[in-house]
């Protein structure tokens, strides 16, 4: 979003005074003729708009060592830790997208079936995918992606980009992630085309997904799937979701009736995959990643160095 010109100049001026000339926020407020809370907001905006980019160079940091420790602690097949300059969501997703795309490129072979979910993290993976000449690879959507809201979940873009990278026509699941009644789900699953796609998701030997965070800003909550009762049942218990299935800090399903109305791969099925890859990082996702790893839903973790340290300290 472009800032208005005069506001933009104030943001830049505040940032220069604070970061280059070491003025404190009270001094900047006097210079600019604004309140101190306004200065705080201007500085925050400078960071979120990318005008100020803070890079912390930690010479003691060793991402390889963090990856080995994660593998050991959570009995993972593989952990990939990327070094990021700033612990902010949009930056984390960029870096994780690149690492996850590289990792997928390194393991993918002829006849593999890749199951993918949707959301902004997976979209960042999809746009980083490299073309790979593999034969008979299939790509399938692991959970429904149609919603009542106008918020984009990137499901069609993700499938298109995965299909394009691996020269295949992806199988999509043209359904909502969650329906209102169990009988609706049963009727949908009885359709032979839908059954075929769900079956392909079960057969996938590679699953790639992220962790949904439990806050009303997260994509799943904005898509209008939940009743008031659903929200109440998740509050205080759920730490995250995978494929719209919510679990607690021990990796146990939180709301069985909600789980029974969810369309797509079951969490138990993820435990059986050759590669069950979770791509996630950031302060809002630490508890969710931890619960997923305790629940053994992933055997590969792709994350950033700050999240890695928090997971090792838990």
């Amino acid at each position: 979003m472009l800032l208005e010109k005069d506001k933009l100049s104030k943001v830049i001026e505040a940032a220069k005074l604070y970061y280059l000339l070491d003025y404190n926020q009270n001094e900047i407020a006097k210079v600019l003729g604004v309140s101190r809370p306004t200065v705080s907001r201007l500085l925050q905006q400078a960071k979120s708009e990318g005008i100020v980019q803070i890079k912390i160079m930690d010479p003691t940091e060793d991402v390889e060592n963090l990856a080995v420790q994660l593998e050991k602690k959570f009995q993972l097949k593989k952990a990939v830790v990327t070094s990021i300059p700033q612990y902010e969501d949009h930056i984390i997703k960029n870096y994780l997208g690149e690492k996850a795309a590289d990792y997928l490129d390194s393991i993918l072979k002829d006849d593999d079936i890749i199951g993918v979910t949707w959301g902004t993290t997976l979209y960042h993976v999809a746009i980083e995918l490299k073309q790979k000449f593999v034969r008979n690879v299939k790509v399938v959507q692991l959970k429904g992606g149609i919603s009542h809201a106008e918020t984009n979940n990137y499901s069609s873009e993700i499938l298109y980009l995965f299909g394009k990278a691996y020269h295949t026509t992806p199988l999509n699941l043209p359904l909502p992630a969650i329906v209102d009644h169990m009988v609706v789900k049963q009727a949908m699953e009885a359709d032979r085309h839908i059954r075929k796609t769900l079956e392909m998701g079960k057969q996938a030997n590679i699953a790639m997904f992220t962790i949904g965070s439990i806050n009303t800003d997260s994509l799943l909550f904005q898509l209008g799937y939940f009743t008031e009762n659903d929200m109440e049942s998740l509050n205080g218990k759920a730490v995250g979701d995978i494929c719209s299935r919510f679990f607690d800090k021990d990796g146990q399903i939180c709301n069985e009736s909600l789980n029974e109305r969810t369309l797509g791969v079951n969490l138990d099925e993820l435990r059986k995959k050759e590669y069950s890859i979770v791509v996630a990082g950031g302060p809002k996702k630490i508890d969710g990643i931890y619960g997923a790893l305790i629940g053994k839903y992933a055997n590969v973790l792709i994350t950033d160095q700050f999240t890695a340290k928090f997971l090792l300290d838990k």
Side-chain angles (χ1 to χ4, degrees):
M1 183 183 74
L2 284 173
L3 297 170
E4 307 91 316
K5 208 167 180 184
D6 57 336
K7 192 172 180 192
L8 179 59
S9 64
K10 268 203 166 70
V11 168
I12 293 166
E13 183 71 10
K16 283 180 176 173
L17 291 168
Y18 190 75
Y19 290 104
L20 298 179
L21 301 176
D22 285 334
Y23 277 51
N24 67 34
Q25 293 193 12
N26 286 325
E27 290 165 341
I28 297 169
K30 281 180 195 157
V31 172
L32 296 182
V34 295
S35 68
R36 204 198 65 77
T38 300
V39 172
S40 181
R41 279 197 296 276
L42 292 172
L43 294 172
Q44 187 54 46
Q45 198 139 16
K47 278 189 353 192
S48 64
E49 296 287 335
I51 291 161
V52 169
Q53 295 178 6
I54 297 166
K55 194 165 187 177
I56 298 165
M57 303 305 291
D58 182 352
T60 64
E61 196 155 76
D62 179 359
V63 291
E64 296 296 326
N65 186 32
L66 289 172
V68 170
Q69 289 180 61
L70 285 168
E71 286 165 9
K72 203 167 157 187
K73 178 169 180 174
F74 297 105
Q75 290 101 52
L76 296 168
K77 179 180 277 196
K78 181 75 177 169
V80 178
V81 179
T82 181
S83 193
I84 57 165
Q86 208 173 324
Y87 204 38
E88 291 197 5
D89 273 353
H90 64 288
I91 291 171
I92 295 166
K93 285 172 183 176
N94 280 329
Y95 280 79
L96 293 187
E98 196 180 334
K99 280 288 178 195
D102 287 347
Y103 179 72
L104 191 54
D105 186 75
S106 75
I107 62 167
L108 191 70
K109 59 192 188 309
D110 293 351
D111 304 311
D112 278 343
I113 302 173
I114 311 165
V116 295
T117 60
W118 43 255
T120 49
T121 304
L122 263 288
Y123 181 61
H124 277 88
V125 177
I127 57 181
E128 296 288 349
L129 292 173
K130 300 176 187 72
Q131 299 271 322
K132 185 165 185 178
F133 291 95
V134 277
R135 281 190 291 273
N136 195 35
V137 161
K138 295 188 178 73
V139 173
V140 61
Q141 192 174 345
L142 289 177
K143 69 166 176 175
I146 293 171
S147 74
H148 318 295
E150 290 171 16
T151 313
N152 189 1
N153 62 25
Y154 300 102
S155 62
S156 55
E157 292 94 326
I158 291 163
L159 283 171
Y160 167 75
L161 290 166
F162 268 83
K164 186 171 162 231
Y166 305 130
H167 317 283
T168 184
T169 304
L171 273 175
N172 76 321
L173 204 53
L175 305 169
I178 298 164
V179 291
D180 289 340
H181 302 286
M182 181 70 180
V183 287
V184 177
K185 177 184 165 178
Q186 287 165 341
M188 286 175 170
E189 288 179 342
D191 177 88
R192 66 192 167 94
H193 300 291
I194 288 165
R195 203 163 56 240
K196 181 188 167 193
T197 306
L198 291 169
E199 197 49 50
M200 183 76 75
K202 280 184 191 173
Q203 288 169 20
N205 61 312
I206 300 171
M208 187 172 266
F209 52 90
T210 189
I211 304 284
S213 57
I214 305 299
N215 64 60
T216 47
D217 299 336
S218 77
L219 197 50
L220 195 60
F221 285 81
Q222 288 180 28
L223 294 174
Y225 283 126
F226 300 108
T227 64
E228 285 294 315
N229 286 347
D230 291 337
M231 295 289 277
E232 275 173 36
S233 75
L234 299 175
N235 267 342
K237 272 191 260 174
V239 293
D241 84 275
I242 295 170
C243 299
S244 310
R245 298 183 187 275
F246 291 84
F247 52 87
D248 64 19
K249 62 182 173 45
D250 302 314
Q252 301 296 313
I253 290 291
C254 278
N255 177 334
E256 207 45 66
S257 83
L258 180 61
N259 194 49
E260 281 169 4
R261 293 187 279 117
T262 303
L263 284 144
V265 72
N266 279 307
L267 294 188
D268 286 345
E269 285 158 14
L270 293 177
R271 293 185 178 129
K272 302 169 193 166
K273 305 289 184 202
E274 183 186 357
Y275 295 97
S276 187
I277 307 163
V278 61
V279 185
K284 293 175 188 162
K285 299 202 174 183
I286 296 161
D287 291 341
I289 298 167
Y290 189 82
L293 296 180
I294 293 295
K296 303 276 183 241
Y297 300 130
N299 57 21
V300 176
L301 168 65
I302 298 171
T303 194
D304 63 85
Q305 85 272 28
F306 299 115
T307 303
K309 285 175 181 166
F310 285 121
L311 291 169
L312 290 167
D313 288 344
K314 270 178 88 71

